Each structure stands twice: as C-alpha cells, then as structure tokens.
Amino acid sequence: MTRKSKLLIIGLDAFDRGLARQWIDEGALPNLAAQMATGVTAGVRNPTGMESGSLWASFAYGCNPAVHGLFDGIRHLDPETYLYRPHRPDEIDFRPFWSRIDDSGGKSIVIDAVVPSETTANRGTRVIDWFAHAPAGGSATMKMRTHPPELKATIERDYGPDPLGGHMCDYHQPRSLEQVRWFTDALLHRVDRKRALTLDLMAREEWDFFMVTFMDAHCAGHHCWNVHDPSHEEHDPAVAAAIGDPLKTIYMAIDDAVGAIRRQAGADVTVMTYMSQGIGNGYTGLRLLDRVLARINGEMHEGRNSFVSGLRRVWRTVPLSIRHRLLPLHNAARNSFYREGFLPSPEKRLCFETNCNERTSGIRINLVGRDPHGIVRPGDEYEALCNRLIAELGEVRNDETGGPLVTEIVRTRDHHNGPKAETLPDLLVTWNREKPIRVVSSPAIGRLVHPHPTIRTGDHRPDALMMLNGPGFGHRTLNQDIDVIDLAPSLTALCGLSSAGFQGQALPALAPDE
C-alpha cells in the first residue's frame, strides 16, 4: 500500500448544504468555512428518486441502486411474499471501499458508517449502531457492536450510553418546549461523546483510513424543522422564542467537532467532509399512493375503508412507549388488513406502492415473468399501464391548495440500470411538498383522505456537498455536481490503491495537484 498521506472522512448525515452556506456566511460555522475557503468544494448528485435510502450504499460501494440493490435503507421487497423485510448480510454482494485498505495491509477505523454492517473487519476497527439514526440490522432499537468485540465495553464505560436510549428519533417525536429542549440536549451530548471517542481513537491507534459519521443533524432535521421554519404548520413561536433554533445549535456543535478532529489529524492528512443530503419540510404522500393506485385501478374495497381508517386513528392516540411494545401485534394486524382488508394483497393487484423515502414513492408493476404472481404482460401492456398511471396521477390535486399532488414521475429504467434493476420500483413518484397533503382528488379517484400523514416535521432534499482538503488540494469549486458513485473509486485512488471494479470512475478533479 503506497500513499502520500492518511485519509480522514467526516460524514455529516443530512447536514443541509443550503443551511450550511447560510450559517457559514453568518460566521456561525467557522471550521466548515475554513475548509470551503481552502480546499476543493463540489456538489454531489445522489441517485434519482432513491436518495435517502440508497445514497450511503452508493457512496460506500461505488455503484447505483440497480447494481447494489439497496433503495429503502436496509429493507427490500421480498419477491416471494411481496412484503418488506431487512436484508440479510449474505444478500449484500458488496463490501465498502475502505475494506480494500485492510485487505492491502493498512488499518481502517470506521465509526457509525451508514451502510449494512460488515460481517468481518479484517485488520480494521468498527463501531456499529452506537449513536446512529437508524439500526443497521433492521431491529427496533440500536444495539452497539464493535470489532474487536472488547471495544464495546470500553465505549460503554468511558463514553456512556446513548441518551436517546438506542431508539430512532421517530420514537421520541418532540413537540413541547420541554421535549424539544431535552431532545436537543441529547443530540448535543451525542455529538460531544462521538467527538471524544474519535479524538481518542485517532490519538492511540495506528490508522491509514478513518471515517466517522455524525447523524445528529439528521435527527434534528426530522423533528425540529417545525421549530426552525416559521412557515411550517406546526411552528410554535413560543417554543422557538424560548429555545432558539435547534438545527443551528446542532450544526454549530458539529462544526466545532469537525474543527477539533481536523486539528487532531494534522495538516498532512487528507480530509473529506461530506454533507450527504439536505433537509426541508416533511410533507409527503407516502402510504397515500397505494390507495390512489387502488382507486385508479378499481381495486379498493370501499366497505372496509372507514373501519380500517378508524382503527388507525385509535392507534395514533396510544402513547408512543406503549405503541412500541405493541408493535408486533400492530404489524400482524396491519398485514392481515392489507391482505384481505380495504386493499387486496399485492400479488392480486396490477401495481402497488413500494417504499423509497418520504420525498419519493415507488410503484411496482406486477409483471408476468418477473414477479411470481405477475398480472401485467411485458411490452405494450406494461407500457400502456405506465403511461396511464403517469397521466392519471398527474391529474390528482391537493384539495387544500388546488395544486398538483406530484411534481415528477419518472421511469426508473431511465436513470438506473444494472443487474438488480428488476428489484427496483418501475416508476418513481415525487411529491409536491409545498403544503401538507391531507385530502386529494381527481376525476379518476374521487376524494381521498390521507390515512396517516408523516410523524416528521422535516424530511430530505436530494442535494449533497463534499469538501476535500489536505496536501495537494488548493482552493477551487467544481462547476458541475459529481455523481455519488464516483466518490468510492476517487477516494480509493487517494489511498494509493486501484480504483478498478467500481461502477463509478476515479475523477481527476478529486486528485491532488502534483
């Protein structure tokens, strides 16, 4: 392994580049401002329509969702049952690019990478599901794992437990002043503890590659956007006046951590700081789409619709702590109603909604020859159904605004091609997020009430940003966004290793000056 300097990656998950630039201009983020003023800055283009659930896999594996097959985080549609389940480790055909460093005789340290966990780390050090946003293994709570295994006890003893209790931020849903203050303090504590562990491991361990990901801006964006944004329907001026802007507070703490980590690393280390995606309001039609499709295709069992909707309303009145304990019962009931309730089972339908993220939903056509209970024949029949769905979804309006329900519908194959393209949705439907989506209508579907709008006040924008600093990198800003799949081969090349074997390409613009 030959390289000019070590490589440090600081991942800032869902750290919005627009907010970052705004607060850099205000002087609130001095460390990120210094990086932007002295190194290479470039926008990053995430996978179309599948940003949130596939971007980190695309970053780590250097290929798009049609190659690695991940588009809803760690879950996928089981082709035999038509239901979602977590990926098993043996179903992931790829290893992250930093495994090549260990294989070549180097040493990597990775804390909370947002990819399916590695089953082996060779010479490397791994911390998995410590202060993460969502569990890497698909469980209900995060259970920290480490390599070597004995590191877990050291972290628990010296740095303490997760102040969020190992739960996703969705578990807490802070809204009152007391809840938002507690939630913000918990996130600040996580930033401080991860910063401390990072500095300690950097100082006491030998390493060639180090990656740490801060996910606290992600959690704050989901559940404090309404405090940040005065135009949000759930904005409470009294809470905002009492606590300020939690997002800005978290961004400033992360900026301070970035500065400390860069200083610890030293001037001879190449550093990439990566803002993985953005954040904005969280209005969505997720889970409404399935009912719209059923109306369009005449598949809805209207007589049971009000009964199931009533059960949903009752469920949402149950306290969160009790809901989580009753989740197995809830899931069993949901699957029962879905299969023989107001919507028929997916295998009996022409098409159905598939999860991608809250900004964009997928539509899966039940295709003969691909799906085990296929109904729609390939060719003209498939194309006619796609065209009809695009046309009729384009006519659906948000009743509160009169505007269109969706801003864009694309054919997945026009953007993502590869050996696992058949596992992806056929169409990608991006929501109009200008205002809340509560009631929709069109000539084809009549009037529909959204059964369960999102519990999040903020959700993702697709834009990402990277900054590269270190020996050989002077100040410049790339005029065009780069593709996320080009980062893995480019960073591998920076480590002095071959960039062959990736779908993406090593970019000369991300190479140091000679």
Side-chain angles (χ1 to χ4, degrees):
M1 178 175 172
T2 60
R3 51 173 296 110
K4 295 180 179 178
S5 68
K6 298 177 179 180
L7 177 61
L8 166 65
I9 297 178
I10 306 174
L12 308 182
D13 193 28
F15 197 100
D16 187 85
R17 72 185 193 183
L19 292 179
R21 283 188 164 122
Q22 174 188 333
W23 292 329
I24 283 173
D25 291 343
E26 294 176 7
L29 307 178
N31 296 292
L32 292 174
Q35 284 187 260
M36 193 171 287
T38 58
V40 177
T41 302
V44 180
R45 185 173 61 256
N46 284 318
T48 299
M50 302 181 180
E51 300 88 6
S52 181
S54 71
L55 67 90
W56 279 109
S58 299
F59 168 85
Y61 304 142
C63 56
N64 72 37
V67 178
H68 58 64
L70 298 169
F71 63 92
D72 183 29
I74 50 82
R75 299 190 308 160
H76 78 299
L77 185 71
D78 189 317
E80 297 302 319
T81 65
Y82 288 74
L83 297 175
Y84 281 87
R85 64 170 175 81
H87 279 279
R88 298 189 304 268
D90 62 343
E91 293 175 320
I92 308 297
D93 300 329
F94 297 87
R95 297 173 67 201
F97 70 86
W98 50 83
S99 66
R100 298 188 180 199
I101 296 165
D102 298 321
D103 293 344
S104 68
K107 170 72 181 294
S108 65
I109 300 176
V110 180
I111 302 174
D112 279 341
V114 195
V115 292
S117 56
E118 300 167 81
T119 54
T120 60
N122 199 358
R123 290 165 46 86
T125 297
R126 302 290 182 268
V127 179
I128 302 162
D129 277 357
W130 182 35
F131 293 162
H133 167 64
S139 60
T141 57
M142 284 166 273
K143 299 177 175 61
M144 181 174 56
R145 289 157 288 151
T146 66
H147 180 86
E150 57 268 22
L151 178 60
K152 179 176 182 288
T154 301
I155 293 174
E156 291 174 336
R157 182 192 68 229
D158 294 345
Y159 304 95
D162 183 359
L164 296 183
H167 296 292
M168 280 188 67
C169 55
D170 293 346
Y171 177 87
H172 301 285
Q173 299 178 41
R175 293 296 183 271
S176 70
L177 173 60
E178 293 75 16
Q179 291 170 337
V180 173
R181 180 174 283 128
W182 171 85
F183 187 69
T184 303
D185 288 345
L187 296 179
L188 290 171
H189 181 75
R190 287 178 22 144
V191 172
D192 177 75
R193 295 293 81 204
K194 187 169 284 185
R195 163 183 168 160
L197 174 63
T198 299
L199 296 176
D200 290 348
L201 286 179
M202 290 179 72
R204 72 172 184 245
E205 300 283 343
E206 293 293 329
W207 56 274
D208 300 286
F209 174 92
F210 200 115
M211 178 173 173
V212 57
T213 308
F214 289 90
M215 307 187 200
D216 311 285
H218 193 151
C219 296
H222 278 323
H223 292 286
C224 299
W225 184 261
N226 58 310
V227 184
H228 162 81
D229 181 3
S231 70
H232 194 278
E233 65 166 354
E234 293 187 42
H235 181 74
D236 186 336
V239 172
I243 201 172
D245 187 344
L247 267 70
K248 188 173 184 179
T249 300
I250 297 298
Y251 278 46
M252 292 171 65
I254 293 174
D255 175 81
D256 194 55
V258 168
I261 292 168
R262 285 193 66 206
R263 289 189 294 272
Q264 176 81 15
D268 61 338
V269 172
T270 300
V271 182
M272 190 190 84
T273 303
Y274 182 49
M275 305 176 191
S276 65
Q277 59 186 323
I279 203 76
N281 74 61
Y283 307 138
T284 180
L286 180 70
R287 293 178 293 274
L288 171 64
L289 178 60
D290 222 15
R291 302 176 70 215
V292 172
L293 295 174
R295 281 273 180 94
I296 287 174
N297 293 320
E299 297 168 332
M300 184 178 286
H301 293 176
E302 304 289 352
R304 300 181 185 179
N305 185 19
S306 59
F307 172 68
V308 176
S309 296
L311 288 180
R312 282 183 173 135
R313 286 193 295 271
V314 171
W315 171 254
R316 287 184 171 272
T317 66
V318 177
L320 277 171
S321 58
I322 298 176
R323 269 196 258 171
H324 279 272
R325 289 196 292 270
L326 295 176
L327 202 57
L329 179 62
H330 166 270
N331 289 341
R334 181 188 61 189
N335 290 340
S336 174
F337 284 126
Y338 185 83
R339 289 193 165 278
E340 299 301 337
F342 76 100
L343 289 175
S345 345
E347 63 266 26
K348 298 178 182 178
R349 300 177 61 190
L350 294 176
C351 60
F352 50 93
E353 180 181 11
T354 59
N355 294 335
C356 287
N357 51 75
E358 296 204 4
R359 177 178 178 268
T360 301
S361 291
I363 298 176
R364 177 85 173 179
I365 309 294
N366 202 1
L367 192 64
V368 173
R370 180 186 69 184
D371 300 303
H373 302 281
I375 296 173
V376 179
R377 290 189 296 272
D380 291 345
E381 188 174 328
Y382 172 87
E383 295 299 332
L385 177 58
C386 287
N387 290 336
R388 180 166 64 84
L389 292 174
I390 292 172
E392 296 199 12
L393 285 170
E395 294 182 357
V396 181
R397 293 292 183 266
N398 184 331
D399 276 18
E400 294 184 36
T401 67
L405 175 63
V406 303
T407 60
E408 184 180 43
I409 306 173
V410 301
R411 286 172 166 81
T412 308
R413 68 187 182 204
D414 291 341
H415 298 272
H416 307 295
N417 289 287
K420 295 190 177 180
E422 294 295 297
T423 68
L424 305 180
D426 295 278
L427 299 174
L428 298 169
V429 180
T430 299
W431 305 110
N432 181 347
R433 312 186 88 174
E434 179 184 6
K435 293 291 182 181
I437 301 170
R438 284 185 277 252
V439 183
V440 300
S441 61
S442 78
I445 69 168
R447 183 176 182 271
L448 275 174
V449 177
H450 197 329
H452 37 206
T454 181
I455 59 174
R456 299 169 173 175
T457 65
D459 193 58
H460 300 296
R461 296 168 175 163
D463 305 319
L465 184 80
M466 59 136 288
M467 295 180 289
L468 198 56
N469 299 79
F473 292 100
H475 174 59
R476 65 181 186 273
T477 300
L478 303 189
N479 293 326
Q480 294 184 331
D481 287 359
I482 63 177
D483 195 318
V484 64
I485 69 172
D486 292 330
L487 291 177
S490 298
L491 295 169
T492 301
L494 284 178
C495 294
L497 301 173
S498 170
S499 60
F502 296 104
Q503 183 186 24
Q505 304 294 318
L507 301 177
L510 300 186
D513 298 331
E514 294 297 334

